[in-house]
């Protein structure tokens, strides 16, 4: 009897954890990433606007370099985060099916 209850609780807990991981992926994709995308866009636009006001060629080049770097770092961060969350969801699904 105790073994049956333990198995039922374990299965239920595994399903809940799998849902949490799936929800984490959805939350990141649908809430966090769009918010950060918008913040990065605003930052890049502000850098560009400041550079356009300047007479200095160096300021314009610096703004482009900063914008490129920020965009590159954010793109890589987003892809790595997605891969980690997807892998975690796959591992959890594989563990549940075993």
């Amino acid at each position: 009897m105790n073994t049956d209850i333990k198995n039922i609780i374990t299965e239920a807990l595994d399903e809940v954890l799998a849902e949490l991981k799936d929800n984490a992926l959805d939350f990141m994709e649908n809430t966090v990433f769009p918010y950060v995308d918008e913040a990065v866009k605003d930052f890049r636009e502000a850098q560009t606007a400041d550079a356009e006001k300047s007479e200095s060629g160096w300021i314009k080049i610096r703004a482009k370099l900063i914008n490129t770097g920020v965009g590159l770092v954010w793109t890589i961060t987003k892809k790595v985060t997605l891969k980690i969350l997807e892998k975690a969801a796959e591992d959890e699904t594989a563990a549940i099916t075993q």
Side-chain angles (χ1 to χ4, degrees):
M1 176 92 173
N2 286 339
T3 304
D4 292 337
I5 292 172
K6 180 182 174 187
N7 289 340
I8 291 170
I9 292 172
T10 301
E11 288 175 17
L13 185 58
D14 287 342
E15 288 177 22
V16 168
L17 291 174
E19 281 187 42
L20 286 175
K21 286 183 181 178
D22 287 341
N23 289 338
L25 181 60
D26 289 340
F27 177 75
M28 292 298 286
E29 286 181 317
N30 298 322
T31 305
V32 175
F33 289 165
Y35 177 78
V36 176
D37 284 338
E38 191 63 33
V40 167
K41 180 181 166 221
D42 290 345
F43 175 81
R44 294 173 81 172
E45 288 173 354
Q47 286 289 318
T48 301
D50 287 345
E52 288 174 354
K53 294 176 190 173
S54 176
E55 300 273 332
S56 171
W58 166 244
I59 299 295
K60 294 175 194 262
I61 291 169
R62 183 186 70 167
K64 286 182 183 180
L65 290 172
I66 290 171
N67 285 345
T68 300
V70 167
L72 181 63
V73 168
W74 173 235
T75 299
I76 291 169
T77 301
K78 188 168 27 174
K79 289 184 181 192
V80 168
T81 302
L82 279 175
K83 290 290 182 187
I84 290 169
L85 291 173
E86 288 169 356
K87 178 71 173 144
E90 288 173 9
D91 289 350
E92 185 61 31
T93 302
I96 288 172
T97 58
Q98 291 178 354

